[in-house]
Amino acid sequence: MPLFPTPRVGAALLLPILLGSALLGVLPHVRAQARQAQPTPGEVRVGLGWQVLPREVTTRPRAAGAALRACATCPALPLSAPVTFIVQGASLRATGVENASPEFSLEGDYDLVLPARPPLHSHFPATLRARDGAIRVVLRVPLPDYVNMALAGESAVFSSESALKAMAVVIRTYAVSASASGRHADEDFDLCDSTHCQLLRFDDAAPARLAAAAAATEGELLWYRGEPASTFYSRNCAGTTEDAARVFPGMSAPYLRSHPDPYCVLHGRDEWSAEIAKADLAAALRQAGIVPAGTRVESLRVVERTPSGRVSRIEIRGAAPQVVSGERFRVAVARVMGTGGLRSNSFEVSDAGDHFIFHGYGAGHGAGLCQAGADEMGAGGKTYREILSFYYPGTTVAQSARDLDWVQTGGERLDVLTTRPDVDRAFVPRAERLLREAEERTGWLLATRPQLRVYPSVSVYRNATGEPGWVGASTRGRTVRIEPPEVLGAALDSTLRHEFLHLLIESRARPGVPLWFREGLVLYLNGDGAVDARENARSMSYAALDHALTSANSAEALRAAYRQARAAVARLVNERGKAEVLSWVERGVPQ
């Protein structure tokens, strides 16, 4: 459990990344690649209708309390009737709202109506943003809910409870790993709701057996050498899994090598056939950008197969013959034709005049877990851990990265846990100096002996702590967890002093001391930013400021909130003196 008596999204977690040096000077934790507000740990930003964005979206309330905001710090407008959003240049206009806005947010229980899909029932915070003449809808979904929805979309037909548990771990790990990799980062979300990522089913409640599988494995991920594994999976491998490097060039994952799967073929090889007109195939390939406009497909020739028998490269003959990967070819056809297209890369193709005849086995790319085989393993008495070990050999199921060799070192005032003692031992005197600086700025001594856990890389830090990779440090209990000092670079001193100030303040904070005050005080004491204390920091109420700090859904809104929190404390110090303001940590902030 965290040390802090009140849950916080604080400077130690999100603030320094979101403010950015351009607004408030040199801040701790700043990472150059941060471009936008990110979800809190344990959330997934899901983009709806990934491939074709709507130009019009309607929402309607499902229960009292549903609300609409024109910006993160704007007052909530009760959603009592349907509201339609339409694109107007670079902004959105909402019926019943006077002014257009680049984005709107929704909260509470509501329906979303998007073209060509059933109404989506949601109780997740949503952002609607104008993008390229259309509307991008992004939901902030807690990871447990995401796992339930992906289980319903990907594994609802499973008969084995063990296989469902295995899939819950696989889905959860995939969500964490793919989100961190920035799969859809340029589109302002983490994962889409289609099979490009994982198919989601937005039901009001997950079926009991799916929810039970997720709950039984809650928090568990599949790890390999301190990193969440790349948990690819497919419907049916037809008796042999595929080497992931042959599906995803450049991938190096020893646990995703091709191997026989006798469980998958207990009831046959899942044989299939498809007839596709040459004109339809050409249209699908044009839509995918594989062949240029106007191109006809005259013939196909398999150029190369993988050792498992799947098509590795295929030649498309037309006006300008070209060779593409078998996976790219299959996905292009499947996205346009769905189940009427190619189910796998394990196929033969023949020319029948105006159409092609494909005959093959299995479903999907074949890398990683085979769902058909996993279900059979579970039916045969295998546990979910045994299933995962079979399909991802060498990985470990755990709630955190456990295969790290930690060594404890330290000095007079603190301990350091590191996997690189020879490198990080020299860091101890610097950390102790920063602790003394934090104590001098408050006039307090830290009663406990803090522990610094120094992670060997950004990715291991992110994966072990659950923090996004752009958050350079965070605190749990008496432990400050940081990225490698060389990664933090010039921000290292400010980052550590910032965390030590939080330890000092939170160790003395009276229950109920407001969030804006604690966060603003840390920023003020650490010298984060050069905000003019004369700024009108009370332009929003303190209650509204607390709300903005915890629920703002854009980087600019958080910047504004933290700017005001820091300025509010600076103004109070100017009026009442530093000693008086510091005493409020233990006494409470006067009303």
Side-chain angles (χ1 to χ4, degrees):
M1 295 293 291
L3 163 72
F4 312 111
T6 303
R8 68 184 185 92
V9 180
L13 295 177
L14 294 178
L15 164 62
I17 301 306
L18 297 173
L19 288 174
S21 57
L23 283 179
L24 294 184
V26 178
L27 295 171
H29 322 344
V30 170
R31 298 184 55 80
Q33 67 268 33
R35 293 190 296 268
Q36 60 200 38
Q38 300 286 342
T40 56
E43 281 188 343
V44 179
R45 296 175 304 167
V46 176
L48 304 182
W50 164 58
Q51 290 180 290
V52 181
L53 296 183
R55 294 185 56 83
E56 179 177 304
V57 175
T58 297
T59 185
R60 57 197 183 206
R62 298 186 65 207
L68 169 71
R69 294 179 188 269
C71 70
T73 56
C74 293
L77 304 174
L79 190 63
S80 56
V83 173
T84 297
F85 303 89
I86 59 173
V87 181
Q88 187 179 71
S91 296
L92 297 180
R93 181 163 291 283
T95 55
V97 179
E98 181 177 354
N99 297 320
S101 174
E103 69 176 49
F104 286 87
S105 63
L106 296 170
E107 54 194 60
D109 291 334
Y110 58 89
D111 285 340
L112 276 175
V113 182
L114 284 75
R117 64 186 294 169
L120 184 153
H121 308 310
S122 175
H123 58 273
F124 307 117
T127 300
L128 292 83
R129 184 179 297 113
R131 184 183 176 95
D132 300 329
I135 303 175
R136 164 71 71 207
V137 182
V138 178
L139 304 181
R140 289 167 49 196
V141 182
L143 186 56
D145 293 280
Y146 177 89
V147 173
N148 285 336
M149 293 191 297
L151 275 174
E154 298 280 2
S155 311
V157 299
F158 276 35
S159 61
S160 161
E161 303 305 316
S162 291
L164 278 176
K165 292 177 183 178
M167 278 302 303
V169 175
V170 166
I171 285 169
R172 187 180 300 111
T173 306
Y174 183 91
V176 170
S177 179
S179 295
S181 72
R183 185 174 179 84
H184 284 288
D186 291 340
E187 298 162 287
D188 299 336
F189 60 91
D190 302 311
L191 298 170
C192 64
D193 61 340
S194 74
T195 54
H196 176 258
C197 293
Q198 298 187 109
L199 182 63
L200 303 183
R201 181 169 297 166
F202 292 87
D203 295 329
D204 286 341
R209 60 192 299 266
L210 303 186
T217 62
E218 184 176 5
E220 292 184 343
L221 302 179
L222 203 61
W223 297 87
Y224 183 77
R225 294 185 178 177
E227 306 270 1
S230 297
T231 50
F232 296 107
Y233 58 93
S234 61
R235 294 291 184 191
N236 190 303
C237 72
T240 306
T241 66
E242 183 59 283
D243 192 315
R246 296 185 178 276
V247 181
F248 311 104
M251 169 166 283
S252 176
Y255 52 88
L256 289 177
R257 301 271 171 79
S258 176
H259 63 80
D261 181 359
Y263 304 100
C264 175
V265 291
L266 286 176
H267 304 292
R269 295 185 65 198
D270 191 23
E271 187 173 358
W272 57 268
S273 62
E275 294 187 7
I276 302 178
K278 291 182 177 179
D280 293 338
L281 180 62
L285 297 177
R286 286 196 297 268
Q287 183 171 325
I290 294 177
V291 299
T295 298
R296 298 175 56 190
V297 177
E298 297 173 358
S299 65
L300 298 171
R301 181 176 69 90
V302 174
V303 175
E304 182 183 4
R305 293 185 181 273
T306 70
S308 70
R310 293 173 171 85
V311 174
S312 176
R313 295 192 301 153
I314 188 168
E315 182 182 38
I316 305 167
R317 294 179 176 176
Q322 60 179 303
V323 176
V324 299
S325 73
E327 181 65 8
R328 187 182 180 198
F329 181 82
R330 179 187 71 84
V331 170
V333 176
R335 282 182 182 166
V336 174
M337 301 184 177
T339 57
L342 307 180
R343 294 180 56 190
S344 75
N345 291 337
S346 183
F347 63 78
E348 303 282 351
V349 58
S350 58
D351 192 322
D354 63 349
H355 63 278
F356 296 107
I357 299 176
F358 296 87
H359 182 259
Y361 302 91
H365 50 63
L369 180 141
C370 168
Q371 292 184 308
D375 210 18
E376 290 293 341
M377 288 183 73
K382 300 293 185 182
T383 67
Y384 77 97
R385 291 175 179 268
E386 289 174 322
I387 294 172
L388 293 171
S389 179
F390 177 76
Y391 287 109
Y392 308 100
T395 61
T396 303
V397 178
Q399 292 193 355
S400 62
R402 295 177 179 174
D403 49 353
L404 298 174
D405 296 325
W406 293 103
V407 175
Q408 181 168 311
T409 184
E412 180 183 349
R413 296 291 310 282
L414 50 77
D415 298 317
V416 173
L417 285 177
T418 174
T419 63
R420 312 174 304 171
D422 294 340
V423 174
D424 293 330
R425 190 174 284 115
F427 164 65
V428 175
R430 187 174 183 178
E432 292 195 321
R433 172 178 60 80
L434 293 165
L435 174 57
R436 288 193 299 271
E437 288 183 11
E439 290 176 331
E440 290 168 0
R441 294 186 185 197
T442 60
W444 302 328
L445 291 177
L446 189 63
T448 59
R449 183 178 176 88
Q451 180 185 83
L452 299 184
R453 188 179 292 267
V454 185
Y455 287 88
S457 70
V458 174
S459 59
V460 172
Y461 165 84
R462 177 196 66 217
N463 298 329
T465 64
E467 305 292 356
W470 37 261
V471 174
S474 58
T475 299
R476 291 276 181 169
R478 69 180 183 94
T479 301
V480 175
R481 309 170 300 178
I482 67 169
E483 296 178 353
E486 64 270 20
V487 172
L488 290 170
L492 176 61
D493 283 9
S494 182
T495 298
L496 271 183
R497 189 171 52 241
H498 192 105
E499 297 300 326
F500 290 145
L501 285 166
H502 260 300
L503 281 176
L504 284 160
I505 289 172
E506 300 299 340
S507 68
R508 291 173 174 256
R510 176 178 178 171
V513 172
L515 176 64
W516 68 265
F517 178 74
R518 303 197 316 272
E519 299 295 357
L521 185 57
V522 167
L523 285 171
Y524 175 82
L525 292 172
N526 199 34
D528 290 331
V531 177
D532 189 337
R534 294 170 297 181
E535 178 181 345
N536 183 12
R538 293 298 300 269
S539 59
M540 70 169 73
S541 69
Y542 288 149
L545 185 51
D546 263 5
H547 175 78
L549 288 170
T550 56
S551 62
N553 57 14
S554 74
E556 181 53 39
L558 279 169
R559 290 187 185 102
Y562 279 111
R563 227 176 14 243
Q564 291 198 34
R566 199 266 192 215
V569 170
R571 179 178 57 81
L572 291 169
V573 170
N574 283 349
E575 293 174 356
R576 307 291 291 271
K578 178 181 173 182
E580 174 72 8
V581 171
L582 276 171
S583 73
W584 296 345
V585 172
E586 296 176 294
R587 291 165 44 203
V589 179
Q591 299 298 316

